[in-house]
Structures are given as C-alpha cells and as structure tokens.
Amino acid sequence: MGSVRWAFRCKSWTPSRSDWLFAARCVQPEEKERIGQFVFTKDAKSAMVGRLLLRRFVCERMGIPWTEIRLERSPRGKPYLADPLKISPHCDRSWSFNISHQGDYVVLAADRGVQVGVDLMKVSMPGSSSVSEFFRIMTRQFTPHEWSVIQSAGSEREQLATFHRHWTLKESFIKAIGTGLGFNLQRVEFHLSPEPLRPGSVLRQTKMLLDEEPEEAWIFEESMLDADHHVAVAMGPPDEARSTSLASRLAPPPPPSPFTLLSFSELIASASPLTEEDPAYWESFRMKAEAPQRRREAQASA
C-alpha cells in the first residue's frame, strides 16, 4: 500500500484516567512535557493524538518497533524520523509523512516516493470581525484570480468555505516543501477542480501555478471529513537525498482514498510504553478539563 490517510476526532474523545496516562507513557518524554504545558485540554489532546498517529505510522508502515522510534522536528517544525538506518537497516525510507490538527480533528497523510504535506481547516465565522473585514486583512495571501473565485462563491458561508479550501491547498504545499512562514503565498495560485467538493469524495483535479507557471509534477488531493472540515494533501517530487530511482520519482501515485477515522483503541493498537506511569500528569489534565466549569460556577455566584 502506497498511501496512508488517517483521521482522529479529538472533540468526541474524553480520555479516561487510564487512557490519558497510557498515552503519556507512549510518547517521548520531551513531547509529554510539551503537551503538559498546554493551557487548554483541547490543545493537549490534539498534540497527544498527533504524536500517537506519527508513532503508529512509523511502527506499522515503516517497520520500526515503537520503543525504538525517535521523532524530531526540523527547524520549520516538520516532524521527521531521526537516524532511521541506525535503528533498522530494513526501514522503508521511501515514505514521507505529515500531520495537521485544527477544529475537531487531527489528520495524518503519508505516501511513498513523494514529498507530502497536509493541512486541515474548519470553516468558521471570523471571531472579531465581519467576513468582508476578515477578507480585507487576508488580501495579500491570495492572488486576484483566487479572490475572484472566493468572493463569487455565493453566500458568506460559501465564500468562507472557498477561502478555507484555498488556504488548506496553500498550506499543504508549504508544509510539503518545508519552507515555513517566510514563503510568499501569492507565488502559488490554485485553480480549483470544477467538480463540487463533498464529504466522502476525494478530488485530484485542482492545479497549481508557481510564479505563474503550471506545476504539473504536483498533485493535490482535496476532501472533507464532514460538512465543516476541509483537508488538502500536497504530493510533489521527492528530495534528491531521499529518492531512490528515476522510476520512483515518475511513478504515478496510487488512486485517492478518503481518510479513515480511527478509534482510540486503533490509535494505540501497536503502542508500547516508553516511561513509567505518572499519576500527577492525569491530575494536571483533569484540573484543566474542569477549569471551564469552575469559572462558570464562579461567575454564576458572583
């Protein structure tokens, strides 16, 4: 199998004490510490799931035992597997992988023989401004062609959906090439697939222009996890250091497939603990989870 598309719905996951403590034991100590520093449980859950998704993928698809996996971050924050050949000479290094979390979900996309970037966005109304003001603030992020498509989409909700669709496409490309925030987003222009994007379907007809030139080597998959969450996966030519042959660079990607929604038991099916149980880690998480209710009660009694 040459593609992996996994999703986990964090919003519907209310971890028990045993689940949270076991998850914490199965990630690297520095990641556990970083996750514990989040103020809101929503962010902590997303970060924990992201690390578990990465480790599950490396274990099950790249063939490295869970306890031997060492994940690092590039200077731009992209996760990568540290020294895979030192761990296992039989490790399949042709894989590229990436994760994204936003809204209610965390997603992982991986493919062989290509660079991969994935981005996820939930369609939502701007928090502190009107849609028109929000678009004005974001003017520099899109080309005139893209703005014409966004603003002609119909209702404000439809315009926002088209905006987020373009945004995930741009971010998936940026994440695939590992460039980060310094990249001028107006250098890339997307021409959307003429087919409507609906939950359950996967589109690959969208095309990208880079510096006004068509980039035929890049493929973009678009899908929706539900009516509110857009996902884009960018697949492009691999880094020379990772490519193994001309054939692997030119081989077409496998047929598109929708994201598979995992349960927590599936997420940790291959997991093995790396550290001892830390009961205080649950108490910290529980107190954060109960904080909103305590604030509401304090406000009601004030």
Side-chain angles (χ1 to χ4, degrees), residues 7 20 30 39 52 78 83 117 131 137 152-153 173 179 203 210 213 231:
W20 187 250
E30 69 275 16
V39 174
L52 293 173
K78 188 173 183 178
D83 297 323
V131 172
I137 294 170
S152 63
F173 174 70
T179 302
L203 303 183
L210 177 61
E213 295 294 330
V231 186

Side-chain angles (χ1 to χ4, degrees), residues 89-143:
H90 306 294
C91 169
D92 186 350
R93 297 184 69 210
S94 65
W95 285 101
S96 173
F97 53 85
N98 198 221
I99 62 169
S100 182
H101 58 83
Q102 208 273 333
D104 302 343
Y105 294 87
V106 182
V107 295
L108 177 144
D111 284 270
R112 283 192 175 103
V114 293
Q115 294 186 86
V116 173
V118 63
D119 195 61
L120 163 70
M121 285 294 291
K122 181 178 182 178
V123 179
S124 58
M125 296 295 288
S128 59
S129 61
S130 64
V131 172
S132 59
E133 177 62 13
F134 175 65
F135 285 171
R136 187 193 66 78
I137 294 170
M138 301 296 291
T139 297
R140 291 188 176 184
Q141 309 305 322
F142 298 94
T143 68

